[in-house]
Structure formats: structure tokens, C-alpha cells
């Protein structure tokens, strides 16, 4: 049970009080409660702009909280069973970067799976930390990367006893979880920190029969995207820490990159959403799980598609599965996931989270209704009938084992030149190439460009994947390290 009064929302309450005081603003923002920008006020509403305010004494300050934000942080920590919770307004990207930068300095090693979000590799470019990649397990049929196999983690620890930390995805984009408790025990036994990217795991803290969450597993830090499945506004997240880290040190690290003008729209959305989940989360995520399971069963009845779930659990690289994820394998009907993604949006007015080479993902959360899921299922059925074709010649894997030649920071800041991707084989990449979403790099700075990677990029482009990361917006050329 929570020890604090979870019915409170201190930031939200302070903003309500501020509104009632009818303060005359001679501070920023310059739109002055919306009066200076009538079009924006009409678009977003007076209620919204009247609380788009600057830090001031009654509303506290995110950089150095002493009153309402401090109290809201304590309530959030209590709700998530953490030692402390930081309000993050630069997205979960900044939370992942703060985790890594809090425990790794230049030259320090960090063990991580290669299928991390780009934000983790960006943190290595900023901090100068050196990645030790654990290749995730791979499901050859689905073509997706899985969790971190324990033997691979043990090997990485044995080969790199001086590593400072291990980073784990919990869950992956597809809903797959590693054995977080065992990894945490192994890491702590070797005096390493455990950092968890829980961008897609907010509901693990509040739902019943969910995979274990980072704080319960004893991890040291977790980056939690409240906006993804917890109901807060886009770009708002929590960074949670446990007992082995100093609150002051982590806050200083956050303040290196986080804005000094924390948005009260984002802060209050975190405050209100935390209250809602602490009070109603069990019921909310029970409903979400039921909706996802219903949709999964219906999709599997169509035939040709495979909406996968807990049957993938193998006790190791798939230690657990997030039942709220509607991940669907599409290659059997002769369509890449990205093709189904495009057809759903263009022909049926349905926007799903992402499609890649072999799968699509629909995020099911607090805001979904059975009727909308029925529309998704019937649309998938119709797509199969109208568009399915022979699957011969389709690329059948997502994960390519990287050849890391130099540290990401060294590659990123080295002398570079631009070459055509089709002529880039053998060079060391100086930049990223990734499909977004999910934002997991196909190629990261410091990695050798191979024929397999070139083929993958060509195929992903041809199928309609939205590729990002290169300086060249057309993704025809890539910057390589001058050797």
C-alpha cells in the first residue's frame, strides 16, 4: 500500500490556485496567458494557455524543487515504489541519457543490448562511455530481437569486469521482457549499476499479473514514459531511482541537459496521470489487458496474421511478455509490416504505432475502446483479402549483429566525408541510420557498414519505411569516418 495520500496532485492544485488569483503577468512566456496569441488560444483553448506559465515562487522550480514539485516528486516515488522520482519534460530520451550520464563517464564501459533506442547511443556520444553490446536473442520466424539471454550477460560481465553498468529494455517495443531480477542480481554481485529503459512499461507498476517492473526487481534507475501508456502529455516522463544513487547527483546530471523552463502543462499532466494510475491503475490496466487479448484472439482467427503473446516465453531471452502489446506478424500474407501500416492509415484511417519489415504494433492503452479495436480487426481482415500475395523474396530478419570498430563518440566527432550508401561497404559509419518508429538504429556511429546492412537499408526504403538519422534527408548518402 502507498504510504502517502495518492489523491493529491500538488502541481495541478497549485496551478488551480494561481488561476484563481488573477495574477497580472510581467514575466515570460510572452503570450501573457494567451492574450498575445489569439490564434493559438483559439486552437489550444484559454484553459491551456492560462496555465502555460513560468517557474515562480508559488509554483516552485523544476531545476531546484522545494515546494509543490518536491511534494509531487515524493508522491510519484511512493506510487512507483522508488526512492525518488524526477519529473522529466525533455521526453524519455533525456531520462535515458541522464541514467547513463549519472553512472558513466568518458571511457567507462556499459553493457547493453544492441536493440536499444537511439537515445541510449546518443548518451554514449555525449558522455564518451563505451558500449559492450550483448546480442539479443532472435526469433528467426518473426525476425525480431528478443531479450538479453542470461548466458550472454554472464559472458559480457566476465569479459568486462570493469563495466560500470548494465542497461536493459523492459519491455522491448514488441512486449518482450528479459529476466530482470537475475540480471540485476548478477550486476550487483559485480558492483555494476542496473539501468532500465521502461519507455513502454509504465503499466508494469500498476496493473496486476504484469511482468516485473524495474523498481520491484531491485534495479538502480528506470526511465518510464508516462505519456506512452500512462495517459500524460507527449514528452513527459519519470526518472526513478533506488537506494544506491544520490538524489542530488542525479538531479545535477539531469540539469546538464534538461530545460530550465519546465512546461507546467507537461508537469501537471504527469501529476494528474500519476494520481489517476495510483488510484485506478489496477482497474484501468485490467481493462487494457482484456481489450488486447480480445483483439489478439480476433486477429489470429483471421488466419495469415500472427498476433503473438505469452506462448513465446522460454524462460530466458523471452522471460515474460507484456499482455497489453498488440504485436502482429504480417509476412505470411506477403506484406511487410510497414506496408500494412501504410494501407491502414491511407485506406482505413487507422494510425498504428509502427510497422517494420515483418510486424506491426498497435499500442493499446487507457484511452482505447472495444469498438475501435473491432474496426482495426475488420480492416486487417479486409487487407488480407485485398492485398495478400506470395511471400517469396521477402527479407526475413530485423536484427543484424553489428561490428563495432570504434566508440560512438570518437566516430561521431571524427573527420568524416559523405559517400553514396550503395558505395559505402567496408567504411565505418559516422552517423545513424534507423527506421522511426521504433528508433532502434540499423547502423550507429562507429560501426562497420556491411553488405547485409546496405541490403537492409535498400529493402526498408523500398517497402516504405521512414528512415532517419543521416545528414542527407533523402538517405542516399552516408557520412563515413575518414581512415
Amino acid at each position: 500500500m502507498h504510504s502517502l495520500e495518492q489523491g493529491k496532485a500538488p502541481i495541478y492544485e497549485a496551478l488551480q490556485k494561481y488561476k484563481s488569483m488573477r495574477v497580472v503577468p510581467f514575466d515570460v512566456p510572452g503570450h501573457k496567458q494567451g492574450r498575445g496569441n489569439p490564434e493559438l488560444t483559439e486552437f489550444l483553448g484559454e484553459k491551456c494557455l492560462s496555465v502555460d506559465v513560468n517557474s515562480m515562487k508559488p509554483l516552485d522550480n523544476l531545476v531546484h524543487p522545494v515546494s509543490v514539485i518536491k511534494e509531487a516528486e515524493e508522491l510519484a516515488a511512493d506510487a512507483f515504489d522508488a526512492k525518488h522520482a524526477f519529473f522529466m519534460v525533455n521526453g524519455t530520451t533525456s531520462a535515458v541519457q541522464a541514467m547513463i550520464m549519472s553512472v558513466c563517464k568518458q571511457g567507462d564501459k556499459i553493457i547493453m543490448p544492441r536493440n536499444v533506442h537511439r537515445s541510449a547511443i546518443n548518451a554514449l556520444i555525449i558522455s564518451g562511455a563505451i558500449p559492450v553490446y550483448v546480442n539479443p536473442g532472435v526469433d528467426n520466424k518473426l525476425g525480431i530481437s528478443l531479450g538479453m539471454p542470461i548466458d550472454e550477460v554472464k559472458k559480457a560481465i566476465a569479459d568486462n569486469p570493469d563495466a560500470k553498468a548494465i542497461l536493459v529494455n523492459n519491455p522491448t517495443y514488441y512486449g518482450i521482457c528479459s529476466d530482470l531480477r537475475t540480471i540485476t542480481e548478477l550486476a550487483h554481485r559485480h558492483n555494476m549499476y542496473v539501468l532500465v529503459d521502461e519507455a513502454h512499461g509504465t503499466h508494469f507498476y500498476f496493473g496486476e499479473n504484469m511482468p516485473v517492473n524495474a523498481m520491484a526487481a531491485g534495479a538502480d534507475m528506470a526511465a518510464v514514459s508516462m505519456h506512452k501508456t500512462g495517459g500524460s502529455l507527449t514528452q513527459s516522463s519519470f526518472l526513478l531511482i533506488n537506494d544506491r544513487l544520490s538524489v542530488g547527483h542525479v538531479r545535477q546530471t539531469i540539469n546538464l541537459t534538461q530545460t530550465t523552463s519546465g512546461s507546467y502543462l507537461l508537469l501537471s499532466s504527469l501529476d494528474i496521470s500519476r494520481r489517476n494510475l495510483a488510484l485506478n491503475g489496477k482497474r484501468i490496466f485490467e481493462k487494457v489487458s482484456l481489450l488486447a487479448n480480445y483483439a489478439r484472439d480476433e486477429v489470429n482467427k483471421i488466419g495469415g496474421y500472427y498476433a503473438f503473446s505469452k506462448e513465446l516465453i522460454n524462460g530466458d531471452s523471452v522471460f515474460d511478455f507484456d499482455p497489453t502489446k498488440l504485436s502482429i506478424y504480417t509476412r505470411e500474407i506477403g506484406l511487410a509490416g510497414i506496408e500494412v501500416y501504410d494501407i491502414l492509415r491511407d485506406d482505413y484511417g487507422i494510425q498504428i504505432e509502427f510497422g517494420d519489415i515483418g510486424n506491426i504494433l498497435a499500442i493499446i492503452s487507457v484511452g482505447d475502446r472495444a469498438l475501435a479495436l473491432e474496426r482495426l480487426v475488420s480492416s486487417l481482415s479486409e487487407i488480407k483479402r485485398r492485398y495478400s500475395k506470395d511471400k517469396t523474396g521477402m527479407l526475413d530478419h530485423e536484427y543484424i549483429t553489428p561490428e563495432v570498430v570504434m566508440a560512438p563518440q570518437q566516430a561521431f566527432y571524427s573527420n568524416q566525408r559523405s559517400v553514396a550508401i550503395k558505395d559505402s561497404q567496408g567504411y565505418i559509419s559516422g552517423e545513424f541510420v534507423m527506421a522511426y518508429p521504433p528508433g532502434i538504429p540499423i547502423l550507429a556511429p562507429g560501426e562497420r557498414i556491411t553488405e547485409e546492412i546496405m541490403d537492409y537499408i535498400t529493402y526498408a526504403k523500398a517497402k516504405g519505411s521512414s528512415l532517419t538519422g543521416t545528414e542527407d534527408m533523402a538517405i542516399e548518402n552516408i557520412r563515413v569516418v575518414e581512415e
Side-chain angles (χ1 to χ4, degrees):
M1 281 302 289
H2 303 298
S3 54
L4 299 182
E5 172 48 65
Q6 285 293 334
K8 294 169 76 173
I11 299 172
Y12 164 67
E13 289 156 18
L15 283 168
Q16 294 277 53
K17 188 175 175 189
Y18 165 82
K19 277 185 78 165
S20 70
M21 288 163 65
R22 303 174 73 85
V23 171
V24 179
F26 285 105
D27 59 351
V28 295
H31 62 65
K32 302 291 169 106
Q33 298 171 354
R35 285 187 287 275
N37 195 339
E39 286 169 320
L40 187 64
T41 306
E42 188 184 358
F43 179 54
L44 294 179
E46 180 276 330
K47 279 185 173 177
C48 181
L49 271 84
S50 69
V51 291
D52 179 35
V53 289
N54 191 29
S55 296
M56 59 186 78
K57 268 193 173 171
L59 295 178
D60 208 357
N61 189 315
L62 184 60
V63 172
H64 188 93
V66 293
S67 59
V68 293
I69 295 176
K70 180 172 183 278
E71 190 186 346
E73 286 182 344
E74 287 162 1
L75 282 160
D78 182 59
F80 285 87
D81 283 327
K83 170 186 169 181
H84 194 81
F86 299 93
F87 279 60
M88 306 298 291
V89 295
N90 285 20
T92 307
T93 287
S94 70
V96 170
Q97 290 170 353
M99 287 199 301
I100 293 173
M101 289 159 60
S102 292
V103 300
C104 293
K105 41 183 204 300
Q106 191 161 18
D108 285 347
K109 291 180 189 171
I110 176 168
I111 297 167
M112 56 169 65
R114 177 55 180 74
N115 59 324
V116 288
H117 188 262
R118 72 171 289 177
S119 58
I121 300 175
N122 282 347
L124 307 180
I125 291 171
I126 297 166
S127 68
I130 311 291
V132 174
Y133 291 125
V134 171
N135 285 332
V138 175
D139 184 302
N140 290 325
K141 176 182 187 300
L142 301 176
I144 63 170
S145 42
L146 305 172
M148 294 163 84
I150 295 299
D151 282 350
E152 294 285 331
V153 174
K154 283 180 179 169
K155 184 178 180 304
I157 291 173
D159 293 349
N160 302 276
D162 53 342
K164 288 285 191 293
I166 297 181
L167 182 121
V168 188
N169 296 330
N170 193 55
T172 68
Y173 230 123
Y174 299 101
I176 287 158
C177 300
S178 302
D179 184 353
L180 195 52
R181 278 201 172 98
T182 300
I183 292 171
T184 301
E185 283 165 20
L186 279 169
H188 286 170
R189 209 178 302 150
H190 293 84
N191 208 24
M192 297 175 189
Y193 291 104
V194 178
L195 318 178
V196 185
D197 180 346
E198 283 189 311
H200 291 270
T202 304
H203 45 291
F204 290 5
Y205 289 86
F206 301 99
E208 283 191 308
N209 305 316
M210 292 284 171
V212 67
N213 65 63
M215 294 294 107
D220 299 296
M221 305 180 87
V224 180
S225 273
M226 272 292 271
H227 70 91
K228 287 192 169 75
T229 57
S232 67
L233 288 176
T234 295
Q235 209 179 303
S236 61
S237 290
F238 283 122
L239 175 58
L240 310 176
I241 67 170
N242 251 330
D243 293 327
R244 294 171 79 223
L245 285 150
S246 144
V247 175
H249 170 67
V250 175
R251 194 182 302 282
Q252 282 182 321
T253 307
I254 290 168
N255 287 343
L256 289 173
T257 53
Q258 178 152 273
T259 177
T260 51
S261 310
S263 162
Y264 277 85
L265 301 176
L266 298 179
L267 294 174
S268 57
S269 83
L270 280 169
D271 203 21
I272 293 165
S273 303
R274 179 272 313 153
R275 178 174 72 177
N276 184 32
L277 294 187
L279 299 178
N280 309 307
K282 213 174 271 188
R283 182 174 51 75
I284 287 168
F285 292 118
E286 183 182 20
K287 180 191 163 195
V288 170
S289 294
L290 285 170
L291 285 173
N293 286 333
Y294 162 75
R296 222 181 333 265
D297 291 346
E298 293 299 308
V299 167
N300 285 332
K301 282 177 195 164
I302 297 169
Y305 296 105
Y306 172 36
F308 48 92
S309 183
K310 288 181 179 283
E311 70 280 356
L312 296 184
I313 291 173
N314 60 20
D316 189 20
S317 57
V318 188
F319 186 75
D320 209 343
F321 186 84
D322 173 4
T324 72
K325 293 280 183 293
L326 185 57
S327 307
I328 305 168
Y329 175 69
T330 64
R331 207 180 293 120
E332 287 297 320
I333 63 166
L335 294 176
I338 187 64
E339 292 175 302
V340 176
Y341 169 101
D342 285 340
I343 295 165
L344 278 169
R345 187 193 57 246
D346 297 344
D347 294 7
Y348 296 92
I350 293 173
Q351 180 63 56
I352 56 169
E353 177 68 10
F354 79 89
D356 56 29
I357 301 301
N359 302 273
I360 57 172
L361 172 69
I363 295 278
I364 315 295
S365 74
V366 49
D368 281 298
R369 304 181 314 281
L371 201 64
L373 282 165
E374 280 163 17
R375 185 171 155 190
L376 172 63
V377 171
S378 63
S379 300
L380 287 171
S381 178
E382 206 169 298
I383 288 169
K384 179 195 167 189
R385 186 171 55 75
R386 288 174 60 191
Y387 296 97
S388 64
K389 53 183 188 284
D390 183 17
K391 63 174 182 173
T392 310
M394 294 188 74
L395 198 66
D396 64 352
H397 63 286
E398 281 308 321
Y399 181 74
I400 299 170
T401 302
E403 186 190 335
V404 181
V405 187
M406 59 171 64
Q409 185 184 61
Q410 188 189 347
F412 188 82
Y413 288 113
S414 64
N415 290 332
Q416 299 176 356
R417 63 191 176 91
S418 183
V419 300
I421 287 179
K422 63 180 172 49
D423 302 326
S424 66
Q425 185 175 346
Y427 287 105
I428 299 167
S429 179
E431 54 189 359
F432 289 98
V433 180
M434 67 205 109
Y436 189 86
I440 295 163
I442 299 161
L443 193 59
E447 293 174 4
R448 180 90 58 204
I449 302 167
T450 62
E451 188 177 2
E452 191 180 16
I453 287 167
M454 287 162 50
D455 289 348
Y456 185 99
I457 291 169
T458 305
Y459 184 85
K461 276 179 75 172
K463 289 295 185 187
S465 283
S466 176
L467 294 180
T468 66
T470 52
E471 194 175 277
D472 171 20
M473 295 296 279
I475 325 277
E476 301 290 345
N477 302 297
I478 188 162
R479 294 189 67 77
V480 298
V481 174
E482 285 192 350
E483 293 179 78

